[in-house]
Amino acid sequence: MIRSVDAHVHLWNRATDPQPWIDPVTMAAIDRDFAHGDLERMLDSTGVDVAVVVQSINSAAETRRLLTQPGPRVAGVVGWADLTGDVAAQLDELGALDAAARRRLVGIRHLVHVDPDPGWLGRPDVGAALDRLAAAGLGFDLVVRSWQLPLAATVAAAHPGVRFVVDHLGGLAEADDDDGWEAGLRELAARPNTYAKISGLAGLVSHGDGARLRRAVGVALEAFGPERLMYGSDWPLAELGCGPVAWREAVDELIGELSPEERQAVTSGTASAFYRLGT
């Protein structure tokens, strides 16, 4: 039985999968490679059983490596596929790796928030590909800026058979209009096929912005409910903020008034169900 899940971590070896977005000055804490041993130590420090590894670059090669080089604490992989191309063929190619590798693929993500096309998510070919992902039993991770939330809500409504999970509570950390962010997140949450990750906000803890964090999690709990929320550390990026241990402690405090069943949903149940872990 999976008792706890970290729904959002990354691994990278820059010799095979360069991470050009890492600034060695402002991001010195993560300016190195992160491997399975590092992940195991982090999970032990936060008291978590397993993790879902999420793609960090739009690369089919990275996805293949993540799927074929499993670690003992990796419950699933959210990989990348070109949703403007032949998705069925790409999934078939991943399936040809071996059956176990294909089973590790639990979702797909595209870096929508930095795509040169601001309307990428609303493209007809992307929409058709999203439906193919649903037919293959895969969810889609939404990594968007707060201003992209209305488009995400429109797309979720147009594709009710697709399971969407918005990473990092919809980009609150980068939002310059918290009221606009809240309206966008609530609009997205009104679609029953949407979920959200309490992740990517460790910087609010290190910056002492507890009031903003409490508001964010309160809005998410009210809009989605615990049954559609999941905990994620966003490690190793959490090292740029308060660190994964302090972040886990902050989340535990924020959900401390929920019932035991509701807390279990956030820390394990929702992620297990959404990503179909252990099936």
Side-chain angles (χ1 to χ4, degrees):
M1 175 182 176
I2 297 175
R3 295 185 301 276
S4 55
V5 178
D6 186 331
H8 201 100
V9 305
H10 303 285
L11 296 170
W12 58 69
N13 181 330
R14 294 176 300 177
T16 56
D17 300 300
Q19 307 292 325
W21 55 275
I22 297 178
D23 185 318
V25 176
T26 61
M27 300 180 177
I30 62 170
D31 186 26
R32 65 177 183 87
D33 296 335
F34 289 88
H36 289 288
D38 300 299
L39 174 61
E40 291 176 37
R41 287 186 287 275
M42 187 280 291
L43 292 176
D44 287 342
S45 72
T46 56
V48 177
D49 293 337
V50 296
V52 174
V53 177
V54 180
Q55 59 90 227
S56 56
I57 53 175
N58 292 342
S59 163
E62 180 203 39
T63 296
R64 285 194 296 272
R65 276 186 278 275
L66 291 173
L67 291 173
T68 56
Q69 300 171 13
R73 306 283 284 276
V74 175
V77 172
V78 175
W80 178 82
D82 180 4
L83 299 193
T84 66
D86 187 340
V87 172
Q90 294 173 70
L91 294 179
D92 286 344
E93 181 181 347
L94 292 176
L97 297 173
D98 65 66
R102 176 60 182 84
R103 285 195 298 272
R104 292 184 197 106
L105 184 69
V106 296
I108 295 293
R109 186 175 83 153
H110 177 81
L111 301 180
V112 177
H113 65 315
V114 294
D115 194 279
D117 178 4
W120 181 91
L121 190 60
R123 289 176 50 154
D125 52 353
V126 170
L130 289 171
D131 289 334
R132 293 190 188 99
L133 294 183
L138 299 172
F140 186 72
D141 268 53
L142 284 164
V143 55
V144 295
R145 303 297 190 196
S146 59
W147 57 267
Q148 295 172 304
L149 286 169
L151 174 59
T154 297
V155 172
H159 300 277
V162 180
R163 290 172 292 116
F164 296 91
V165 58
V166 64
D167 298 340
H168 315 328
L169 290 187
L172 170 71
E174 295 82 24
D176 55 10
D177 174 12
D178 282 11
D179 290 340
W181 162 81
E182 178 177 342
L185 193 74
R186 289 186 182 277
E187 183 180 0
L188 181 66
R191 279 63 180 178
N193 56 325
T194 63
Y195 299 71
K197 293 183 184 181
I198 304 175
S199 61
L201 300 174
L204 297 184
V205 178
S206 59
H207 295 150
D209 207 347
R212 193 176 184 216
L213 179 60
R214 284 191 295 275
R215 174 188 176 181
V217 174
V219 167
L221 283 168
E222 184 177 299
F224 288 96
E227 70 281 359
R228 288 196 286 147
L229 286 176
M230 58 186 84
Y231 157 79
S233 66
D234 195 26
W235 176 89
L237 280 79
E239 303 288 359
L240 300 175
C242 63
V245 173
W247 171 244
R248 179 56 193 260
E249 291 172 349
V251 173
D252 284 343
E253 181 179 350
L254 288 164
I255 65 174
E257 295 185 3
L258 300 179
S259 71
E261 294 76 16
E262 290 171 331
R263 291 196 300 273
Q264 182 69 11
V266 175
T267 59
S268 174
T270 301
S272 295
F274 181 89
Y275 289 120
R276 300 176 180 177
L277 304 180
T279 60

